[in-house]
Amino acid sequence: MGLLLAGAALPAVAQLSPEAQRAWAEAQERKAEQLMRGASQGAGADAPAAGTGARNPAAAPVAPEQRDRWAPDMGKLFATGGVIQVEGAGGGGLAPWALITGYGTRDSYGANAHYTTVRTQDYTLKSYGVAVGIMDRVELSAAKQEFYGSLAPLNNLRISQDIFGVKVKLAGDAVYNQDQWLPQIAAGVMFKRNNGIGGLGAVTSVKQLGAASDSGIDYYLAATKLFLDQSILLNGTLRLTKANQMGLLGFGGDRGDRYQPMGEFSAAYLINRQLAIGAEYRMKPRNLAADSEKDYADAFIAWFPSKNLSLTLAYVSLGDITIYNPKRQNGVYLSLQAGF
């Protein structure tokens, strides 16, 4: 799941000294900026890349002045767009990270669409949506979750919710700040609205199961650190939430209706340029007597065949879901992401 990410593209750079890595990163930024300015400056598509002295053989002939004004530059390093987590934000499978989705640099934008399915013994969760990264600073996302039961007495259960997210990068840079201990830090919010319950007869609202509300807001602060020399990414997220099972069972409940801080942790190891493995852990509140909610965990492998596509496969443990099917729910997580 979660995805790995950011340094997946940099096995050779990881062998350089911190000073050499910083110089390399600065050269890449200058190169992207010059390519974007090329047409308006009259430099032509064959202008030398900054810091390299080389010509760009793949560049097209100079076109009208405004040709590239709205085109995404795809300037971020390979795999630094990460993946989309199950609530629609850029990050791992279970936890949002401080990374901004997409491959747009600070002068451009990027976007991704995702489809995720999680299947356990008794339930299926589907998530799909889009996320946009703007100037490698702001991320906007929209996702829909659909939850289905498959075992009596909940074999006809259907629940859905809509999630809209905003994330803002506050400090640091996971890729370029290799000579500093400061991680990349971002703050985000998720606006969630539960659309009700189907398949349970007279029970049509999460409030009938004890939830205090059918809508809520999660607030989080994420810190992501990439160690290029060790090919390791670490992330920690602190979330303030009232959500029961991410909001699928509403917000707050008969056991409590206050915001609680929950920790979420991710670690990933970059096997090579296109393959990463890792694990995540996500703490959960326990607001409902009808749901002995347990923490989430997963172990994942992520494949990045290109900048436009990623595939994540994971073994996931979601703990108990409801007292009506009182057993731990373990299963498979599969997520496909496409974008630029």
Side-chain angles (χ1 to χ4, degrees):
M1 287 254 76
L3 332 271
L4 202 173
L5 28 149
L10 307 174
V13 179
Q15 307 303 317
L16 301 177
S17 66
E19 293 77 10
Q21 291 175 6
R22 185 165 57 256
W24 178 87
E26 292 173 352
Q28 301 310 303
E29 288 191 312
R30 291 196 300 270
K31 179 179 177 180
E33 292 173 358
Q34 184 164 346
L35 289 174
M36 291 297 292
R37 295 195 306 262
S40 61
Q41 291 179 336
D46 292 332
T52 67
R55 299 173 69 85
N56 181 4
V62 177
E65 181 176 348
Q66 297 184 0
R67 179 195 58 171
D68 295 326
R69 174 164 295 183
W70 302 110
D73 62 15
M74 296 282 287
K76 288 167 64 175
L77 300 176
F78 188 91
T80 54
V83 297
I84 301 298
Q85 57 102 217
V86 73
E87 292 157 297
L94 297 179
W97 295 351
L99 303 176
I100 301 298
T101 194
Y103 284 97
T105 67
R106 62 187 181 185
D107 298 314
S108 186
Y109 64 94
N112 284 296
H114 81 282
Y115 179 83
T116 299
T117 179
V118 182
R119 294 182 182 273
T120 69
Q121 305 99 303
D122 304 329
Y123 304 100
T124 297
L125 172 65
K126 297 179 181 180
S127 173
Y128 48 91
V130 296
V132 178
I134 304 170
M135 301 177 68
D136 198 28
R137 175 68 61 178
V138 177
E139 176 184 292
L140 306 176
S141 62
K144 189 177 189 68
Q145 290 183 331
E146 298 178 350
F147 185 76
Y148 303 93
S150 59
L151 180 69
L154 303 179
N155 51 301
N156 294 318
L157 174 66
R158 301 186 308 275
I159 303 175
S160 70
Q161 75 166 337
D162 301 317
I163 305 173
F164 299 94
V166 180
K167 182 197 300 181
V168 178
K169 178 180 173 181
L170 301 179
D173 193 289
V175 176
Y176 298 139
N177 290 356
Q178 291 298 301
D179 59 341
Q180 302 177 23
W181 279 101
L182 178 70
Q184 182 165 324
I185 300 172
V189 294
M190 294 180 179
F191 303 91
K192 302 180 177 181
R193 179 172 179 79
N194 188 288
N195 296 317
I197 297 176
L200 291 186
V203 179
T204 59
S205 169
V206 291
K207 294 181 180 180
Q208 293 173 266
L209 299 178
S213 176
D214 59 6
S215 63
I217 303 174
D218 285 1
Y219 305 88
Y220 65 88
L221 186 68
T224 304
K225 184 64 179 177
L226 174 65
F227 299 93
L228 288 177
D229 285 344
Q230 293 77 29
S231 299
I232 291 175
L233 179 139
L234 300 176
N235 180 82
T237 299
L238 180 65
R239 184 192 299 251
L240 293 178
T241 183
K242 295 182 181 181
N244 310 316
Q245 300 293 358
M246 297 184 293
L248 290 167
L249 295 183
F251 304 83
D254 44 11
R255 287 182 173 177
D257 185 26
R258 61 182 178 82
Y259 277 100
Q260 301 178 55
M262 295 288 138
E264 303 172 12
F265 311 96
S266 307
Y269 176 71
L270 314 172
I271 298 175
N272 57 39
R273 175 184 175 88
Q274 295 180 309
L275 203 61
I277 59 174
E280 295 181 290
Y281 188 85
R282 175 171 171 172
M283 299 172 63
K284 304 300 298 305
R286 293 164 178 81
N287 298 320
L288 294 176
D291 177 19
S292 183
E293 192 165 358
K294 300 294 192 301
D295 296 346
Y296 294 166
D298 73 56
F300 66 84
I301 181 169
W303 179 44
F304 299 86
S306 73
K307 277 190 173 183
N308 303 111
L309 190 67
S310 71
L311 183 67
T312 303
L313 176 66
Y315 174 82
V316 61
S317 176
L318 303 180
D320 301 348
I321 302 297
T322 75
I323 59 175
Y324 303 106
N325 288 335
K327 60 183 177 182
R328 297 187 65 85
Q329 298 296 314
N330 303 318
V332 176
Y333 170 110
L334 182 65
S335 182
L336 177 67
Q337 175 181 297
F340 55 87

